[in-house]
């Protein structure tokens, strides 16, 4: 059985796998962007994975990355996060939200980008809700932070688009997202 998802994305070396296929990439240009969207996502995979590096233009460190599926802006999401910085840990969860959320994903510090790896599981299964799990983190000049996140889209529709926005500000130039399909 192939190793899939977040674990597989962290393996280095001579691992040969045909489980991941690149679907699309987005690199934010000069002037930034308020959203990053992947649309017309094919339904030929078992799972989806998004890998990204991003930074916010906001003057304060509002690090949250918001995710909407199929442009749904209703209160049909839940999300949970566990975060830490090496000295402190905390957790929180929210129901009936208008987006899923990745904490500690996008710093505003100059030239520092946050990183994310996000899995969307069984995104075409119309017999259950779509779940998300994600890792996010950043090293803010030695003040590192990381979060483990999960979420549920309480809708049984197959996912055909993903939209990412920030809690505050715009994505800065060179923020980059890559979408992969994971074979089942």
């Amino acid at each position: 059985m192939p190793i899939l998802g977040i674990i597989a994305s962290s393996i280095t070396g001579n691992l040969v796998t045909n489980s991941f296929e690149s679907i699309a990439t987005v690199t934010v240009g000069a002037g930034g962007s308020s959203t990053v969207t992947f649309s017309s996502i094919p339904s030929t995979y078992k799972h989806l994975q998004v890998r990204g590096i991003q930074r916010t233009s906001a003057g304060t460190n509002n690090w949250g990355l918001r995710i909407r599926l199929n442009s749904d802006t209703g209160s049909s999401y839940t999300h949970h996060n566990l975060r830490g910085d090496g000295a402190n840990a905390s957790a929180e969860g929210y129901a009936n939200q208008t987006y899923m959320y990745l904490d500690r994903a996008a710093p505003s510090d100059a030239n520092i980008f946050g990183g994310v790896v996000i899995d969307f599981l069984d995104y075409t299964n119309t017999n259950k809700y779509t779940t998300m799990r994600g890792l996010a983190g950043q090293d803010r000049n030695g003040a590192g932070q990381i979060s483990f996140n999960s979420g549920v889209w309480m809708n049984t529709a197959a996912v055909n688009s993903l939209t990412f926005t920030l809690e505050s500000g715009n994505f800065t130039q060179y923020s980059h997202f890559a979408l992969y399909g994971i074979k089942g």
Side-chain angles (χ1 to χ4, degrees):
M1 173 183 247
I3 299 172
L4 301 177
I6 292 172
I7 294 170
S9 69
S10 66
I11 297 173
T12 60
N14 295 320
L15 178 68
V16 177
T17 179
N18 294 326
S19 297
F20 286 77
E21 289 185 0
S22 177
I23 297 173
T25 60
V26 173
T27 301
V28 175
S33 178
S34 61
T35 62
V36 170
T37 300
F38 293 106
S39 58
S40 301
I41 297 172
S43 61
T44 53
Y45 302 99
K46 179 73 173 165
H47 310 293
L48 297 174
Q49 184 175 90
V50 175
R51 301 176 193 179
I53 59 168
Q54 59 285 325
R55 188 173 150 259
T56 179
S57 64
T60 60
N61 277 313
N62 291 317
W63 305 298
L65 181 67
R66 296 176 175 180
I67 307 165
R68 289 195 171 113
L69 289 79
N70 294 1
S71 301
D72 181 358
T73 59
S75 299
S76 52
Y77 303 92
T78 65
H79 57 260
H80 314 86
N81 64 63
L82 174 64
R83 64 179 167 267
D85 62 9
N88 301 296
S90 61
E92 57 193 14
Y94 299 93
N96 303 313
Q97 299 297 296
T98 58
Y99 51 83
M100 282 189 260
Y101 186 78
L102 263 72
D103 196 35
R104 304 304 191 245
S108 65
D109 303 280
N111 303 315
I112 297 176
F113 287 75
V116 297
V117 178
I118 311 163
D119 292 329
F120 297 92
L121 308 174
D122 294 323
Y123 74 104
T124 60
N125 187 337
T126 57
N127 294 313
K128 65 182 196 78
Y129 297 152
T130 299
T131 57
M132 174 277 294
R133 65 181 175 203
L135 290 175
Q138 54 186 283
D139 179 5
R140 297 176 52 232
N141 293 321
Q145 300 176 339
I146 189 167
S147 69
F148 178 72
N149 307 266
S150 64
V152 175
W153 181 41
M154 294 174 290
N155 189 311
T156 57
V159 175
N160 57 39
S161 73
L162 301 169
T163 302
F164 300 92
T165 59
L166 291 169
E167 185 174 3
S168 182
N170 292 327
F171 294 105
T172 63
Q173 185 176 16
Y174 307 118
S175 293
H176 180 84
F177 291 86
L179 174 64
Y180 296 90
I182 303 173
K183 298 177 182 177

